[in-house]
Amino acid sequence: MYNYNFPEKEPATYDLIEPGYYVVQIENVEERETQRGARMLTCTYRILGKIEHGQFLKHPGNLIFHNIVFPLDYDEPDKAAFMLDRISNFLKIIGEPYKGKITINQANWPGKELAIKVKHQEWNGDTQHAVHYVLTKEKALEITSQQTGRDTESRAPTNTNPVPDSDTSSTQIGDRGNEDDINNEDIPF
């Protein structure tokens, strides 16, 4: 048996974060390991605001988590390249070294700001919010300034070249064809 004195108030409820673009600040980074044994850094982001129609709107400060998974030596080359590209893009956005042989020092990350695209996904029968991809605040403002109405809803890009996604929260990106033919929603950064 265990006795504990809980506050005399109703517990907080946590609603789904609606799909869209948000400015976040890295609050914490935890080193973990996936079920497959891959190194993973779990970032806790505090949402500072939502970006809609090119405007920054204040937000109540919800938390959202983002898993950054490093490839294993035996991962397929295409999957490993995809994962490393996502990690490199993240590092570039937060102003950390991202080219060549580097030392990743996640202790430098808390307090840094970036933008994220939030989507909804099904997991074990529940709808959950997830970080779809990261981008600069400027890019998120640019993308949303071109959107109207239903364009701000979450859409996953068409996937014609699947990349296995067993350990990551990232969405698979397929062959985009001619760069002039892509929609801003298809840009993973």
Side-chain angles (χ1 to χ4, degrees), residues 24 26 29 43 45 68 87-97 104-106 108-110 112-115 134-136:
V24 297
I26 301 172
V29 183
C43 295
Y45 299 144
I68 298 171
I87 295 166
S88 178
N89 182 57
F90 171 82
L91 292 170
K92 180 179 178 182
I93 288 169
I94 65 168
E96 291 287 315
I104 295 176
N105 185 356
Q106 65 269 24
N108 293 337
W109 299 2
K112 295 194 177 198
E113 292 182 12
L114 63 149
V134 300
L135 63 166
T136 64

Side-chain angles (χ1 to χ4, degrees), residues 47 113 131:
I47 297 177
E113 292 182 12
V131 174

Side-chain angles (χ1 to χ4, degrees):
M1 183 170 13
Y2 186 75
N3 294 320
Y4 191 83
N5 187 15
F6 283 93
E8 295 290 330
K9 64 177 185 90
E10 288 297 313
T13 59
Y14 299 96
D15 296 325
L16 275 176
I17 297 168
E18 62 184 70
Y21 294 91
Y22 294 85
V23 174
V24 297
Q25 184 175 56
I26 301 172
E27 197 162 279
N28 187 40
V29 183
E30 264 185 68
E31 191 164 347
R32 296 181 171 181
E33 191 174 282
T34 67
Q35 290 178 349
R36 293 185 328 128
R39 181 174 177 221
M40 176 172 70
L41 297 174
T42 299
C43 295
T44 303
Y45 299 144
R46 171 132 346 245
I47 297 177
L48 303 177
K50 185 167 187 183
I51 301 174
E52 287 185 345
H53 309 294
Q55 300 291 318
F56 178 80
L57 309 170
K58 284 288 189 185
H59 196 271
N62 297 49
L63 296 177
I64 190 167
F65 304 93
H66 180 207
N67 294 328
I68 298 171
V69 180
F70 293 79
L72 294 166
D73 291 339
Y74 56 83
D75 278 335
E76 294 177 20
D78 287 348
K79 179 181 179 179
F82 174 78
M83 293 168 76
L84 290 173
D85 189 58
R86 299 282 296 241
I87 295 166
S88 178
N89 182 57
F90 171 82
L91 292 170
K92 180 179 178 182
I93 288 169
I94 65 168
E96 291 287 315
Y98 63 96
K99 290 182 180 178
K101 189 172 185 171
I102 63 170
T103 299
I104 295 176
N105 185 356
Q106 65 269 24
N108 293 337
W109 299 2
K112 295 194 177 198
E113 292 182 12
L114 63 149
I116 60 172
K117 170 75 183 268
V118 172
K119 68 174 184 170
H120 285 173
Q121 64 186 23
E122 295 295 318
W123 192 73
N124 287 342
D126 291 326
T127 300
Q128 298 186 353
H129 51 250
V131 174
H132 183 40
Y133 55 84
V134 300
L135 63 166
T136 64
K137 294 182 282 187
E138 295 77 17
K139 188 65 177 175
L141 285 165
E142 177 187 328
I143 290 169
T144 62
S145 68
Q146 300 169 8
Q147 294 177 330
T148 58
R150 295 184 56 88
D151 287 344
T152 59
E153 293 179 7
S154 179
R155 286 186 301 202
T158 304
N159 186 2
T160 59
N161 186 17
V163 177
D165 199 25
S166 59
D167 285 332
T168 67
S169 64
S170 58
T171 296
Q172 303 160 356
I173 306 296
D175 179 15
R176 293 182 287 192
N178 185 345
E179 291 292 323
D180 295 330
D181 295 335
I182 62 174
N183 180 308
N184 283 331
E185 290 289 317
D186 297 333
I187 299 172
F189 50 87

